[in-house]
Amino acid sequence: MSEPHTQTKPSWYLVATDDHMIPPDAQRFMSKRAGATVVETKGSHALYVSRPAPVAALIKQAAAKITTTASR
């Protein structure tokens, strides 16, 4: 069952495919349950440190979507 906020607020999730803290399948399950837009990238748990480019790309994608939606 989704949380109420996930039905009204868009969300994004970056799956770290080499994560050993939170298994990628668990990340996929949680992000799907939240109704998130999902992007996957190779990398471990701390993607924002080890792979900042995919993190920044996802943030830009989310910001563009929110900006487009807000301007309607």
Side-chain angles (χ1 to χ4, degrees):
M1 184 163 123
S2 295
E3 295 296 322
H5 71 277
T6 62
Q7 296 172 9
T8 58
K9 297 188 189 265
S11 62
W12 287 261
Y13 195 98
L14 185 59
V15 173
T17 60
D18 299 323
D19 196 333
H20 296 284
M21 289 285 276
I22 304 172
D25 283 341
Q27 294 178 57
R28 291 179 191 104
F29 173 78
M30 291 183 292
S31 59
K32 181 179 179 181
R33 182 176 62 188
T37 298
V38 179
V39 175
E40 295 197 17
T41 191
K42 286 186 67 85
S44 63
H45 189 69
L47 285 173
Y48 53 89
V49 174
S50 63
R51 305 246 329 171
V55 175
L58 183 63
I59 292 168
K60 287 179 183 177
Q61 177 186 350
K65 176 71 174 180
I66 290 172
T67 303
T68 302
T69 304
S71 65
R72 290 183 188 171

